[in-house]
Amino acid sequence: MRCANVREFLSQSLDGPIEPPDEAAVETHILACESCRLYRKTLRRMTGALATLEHAPAPLDFGAMVTFQLRRERVQRRWAPPAAVAAALVAGMVLAWPTWRDSGQGASAGLASAAAGLSADQETAAFMHWMDPAADGGSGLGVQQAAFDTYSAAGPGGQLSQLPAGPVSPLQFAPMAAMQPQPVTVQLGPAAFPTFFGGPLAPVQPLATPLR
Amino acid sequence: MPGLMAGISRTADTSPDLNLVRRSQQGDTRTFGELVRRHQDRVYNLALRMTADRDLAADVTQDAFLRAFRSLPKLRQPERFGSWLLKIVSNLSLDALAARSTVSLDALMEEGDEFLPVSGSDPADQIEGILSDEAVAAALKRVQPVYRQVLVLRHIEDLPYEQIAEILDIPLGTVKTRLFRGREQLRQFLTEGGITP
């Protein structure tokens, strides 16, 4: 048996016994071949060293981080359909806005805008921004972001508000590793369309149903 | 068989896992968080040995768990969660290495056709002296990823051929061949690294 074949068998022998006929041939070869004897010793030392490599524990609480990320995604998914419906409503309102304002029926809304110190154009721009911040260079999360901001602002120490809009990287999450995510509560109703419904401009308020 | 590694439970304690996996499959993120904590050391360590980069390993670990959660409903054998997770980590580690380098994933997965030459009878090319963790880790980092994968799974994770074949979705014979070639490369790099008398 040649050295090359013997070494393949020696490699396999680290994981289990060699079959009898081959085992005898390998042993016979090794008795006469110093190089292969050293090879076997080397293999054993090397794989032993691999097996005892120092174990590196996880540097972060990935459980908390992954749970946090999954919940955030869930909030985003949950708000996507209502946001689409709301966006369609807004599109309709915006299209009808000039006719409505010119007809004088927009007087009450105009009064609300004036009370808030906004011109009609500013109000429309602010409302559009609120509905879709991405449209004018915002964070890209739209209504979900507003909801999440509410949650963030209420987070321990307000640190969560430092989060970027995209996925949280392990390094960004590290300083917050000890924090536990809180239930997210949001509402989408008249308060979400303040001046269009004649109400005061107000932030999205936490409400009843916690999102898991 | 050597391979005991402090701090890591290698034996599959499947029954508690099974309950957690089934509840996680229903979308319970809190339960999945518990499952993550049970496996995070093992997953991170595998990613670290595959990528040899702590930041990249942390990214791979996070990505692996997120992908696992999203794919959990499709896992038909919840009792195989551990192997399934290692498969995800192993594949993501290769993806991460390919993305970081200019080498394509196909190239990383390519097995060298050339048979590494058998060292001559000169005992000087055999490994002697102290094999430090640093020397072994450095040599392991130089081994082709396709061989490093099996070396890590066999010698660091202490998995049998059958489980490695299942995780990598390759035949048993291929596992043996890759192990042999991986060991040859590791030995060669250790020798080049001056681990000689």
Side-chain angles (χ1 to χ4, degrees), chain A residues 46-130:
Chain A
M46 189 179 73
T47 52
L50 261 186
T52 54
L53 269 182
E54 188 182 0
H55 163 58
L60 297 168
D61 182 354
F62 284 100
M65 190 163 82
V66 167
T67 304
F68 177 86
Q69 188 78 20
L70 291 171
R71 287 179 179 178
R72 187 162 84 159
E73 288 176 8
R74 188 166 290 180
V75 169
Q76 292 172 2
R77 275 200 310 274
R78 190 161 185 159
W79 280 101
V85 171
L89 281 172
V90 169
M93 288 177 175
V94 168
L95 287 174
W97 176 262
T99 309
W100 187 44
R101 186 173 50 188
D102 293 346
S103 70
Q105 294 176 36
S108 61
L111 285 174
S113 300
L118 297 173
S119 70
D121 287 346
Q122 284 174 324
E123 183 185 21
T124 303
F127 184 76
M128 293 304 289
H129 171 80
W130 190 84

Side-chain angles (χ1 to χ4, degrees), chain B:
Chain B
M1 180 63 59
L4 294 176
M5 191 162 51
I8 288 187
S9 168
R10 289 223 172 105
T11 50
D13 187 6
T14 55
S15 52
D17 253 12
L18 196 55
N19 289 332
L20 294 178
V21 172
R22 286 189 171 141
R23 282 162 57 193
S24 299
Q25 283 183 309
Q26 306 302 314
D28 186 339
T29 53
R30 190 183 299 272
T31 298
F32 187 67
E34 291 176 39
L35 202 53
V36 169
R37 288 192 184 96
R38 284 177 62 95
H39 289 269
Q40 64 182 12
D41 282 354
R42 189 180 194 186
V43 165
Y44 174 75
N45 200 54
L46 174 57
L48 179 62
R49 292 304 171 202
M50 279 298 298
T51 62
D53 181 313
R54 291 182 183 274
D55 291 343
L56 197 56
D59 284 341
V60 166
T61 301
Q62 183 195 21
D63 199 12
F65 283 122
L66 289 172
R67 285 177 190 236
F69 182 80
R70 293 175 194 133
S71 304
L72 257 184
K74 289 184 275 186
L75 179 63
R76 294 191 175 186
Q77 294 177 290
E79 66 278 9
R80 313 302 284 268
F81 175 78
S83 295
W84 180 72
L85 187 59
L86 291 182
K87 181 175 191 169
I88 294 174
V89 181
S90 184
N91 289 336
L92 284 179
S93 297
L94 282 180
D95 287 347
L97 287 173
R100 199 178 57 171
S101 69
T102 54
V103 182
S104 69
L105 183 59
D106 285 344
L108 286 181
M109 287 301 293
E110 194 175 314
E111 295 185 49
D113 289 333
E114 79 286 1
F115 189 81
L116 288 165
V118 172
S119 310
S121 57
D122 182 8
D125 67 358
Q126 309 297 329
I127 299 166
E128 293 294 342
I130 297 171
L131 282 179
S132 67
D133 272 11
E134 290 75 18
V136 175
L140 182 63
K141 186 180 175 180
R142 294 179 62 193
V143 172
Q144 270 177 273
V146 68
Y147 302 134
R148 199 188 313 157
Q149 238 180 355
V150 288
L151 285 178
V152 170
L153 292 173
R154 178 70 195 95
H155 295 298
I156 298 181
E157 287 299 318
D158 199 21
L159 300 180
Y161 284 168
E162 292 75 13
Q163 202 171 346
I164 296 172
E166 181 191 324
I167 288 171
L168 300 181
D169 200 18
I170 54 176
L172 273 180
T174 308
V175 174
K176 292 179 188 176
T177 305
R178 289 186 185 179
L179 266 176
F180 174 63
R181 292 183 174 181
R183 287 164 180 160
E184 277 293 291
Q185 284 196 1
L186 186 65
R187 187 180 67 86
Q188 191 178 48
F189 293 139
L190 280 169
T191 306
E192 285 175 12
I195 314 296
T196 52

